[in-house]
Amino acid sequence: MESEREAGNADVPNSESAANQFLGMIANYVLWPRMLLTDWNPAASDIHYAVEQAVETTLARYASDRTV
């Protein structure tokens, strides 16, 4: 996050918060259900989709005007 901000590709006022938001989106689908549900086993394609959606959401929030 910080390197993208420094390169002018992202407007990230707090990189730690942004990273936590990104990881939280992924963890809510991939990590936490596995800890709570013994039979949770999403397909690799579903995990890939969850990560892609987290990336798109993060880009929509933090992309600089220059990269949109």
Side-chain angles (χ1 to χ4, degrees):
M1 295 284 187
E2 290 175 1
S3 64
E4 290 300 314
R5 182 189 69 225
E6 291 168 3
N9 297 326
D11 182 15
V12 184
N14 184 323
S15 59
E16 183 177 345
S17 176
N20 281 326
Q21 292 166 9
F22 177 75
L23 293 174
M25 287 184 279
I26 295 169
N28 278 337
Y29 183 75
V30 178
L31 176 65
W32 292 118
R34 282 191 186 177
M35 295 182 79
L36 300 172
L37 304 170
T38 57
D39 61 345
W40 181 257
N41 192 19
S45 60
D46 293 333
I47 292 172
H48 179 78
Y49 181 75
V51 172
E52 288 295 316
Q53 292 297 299
V55 169
E56 287 186 29
T57 300
T58 301
L59 289 174
R61 169 60 181 92
Y62 293 110
S64 71
D65 291 338
R66 195 173 88 184
T67 61
V68 176

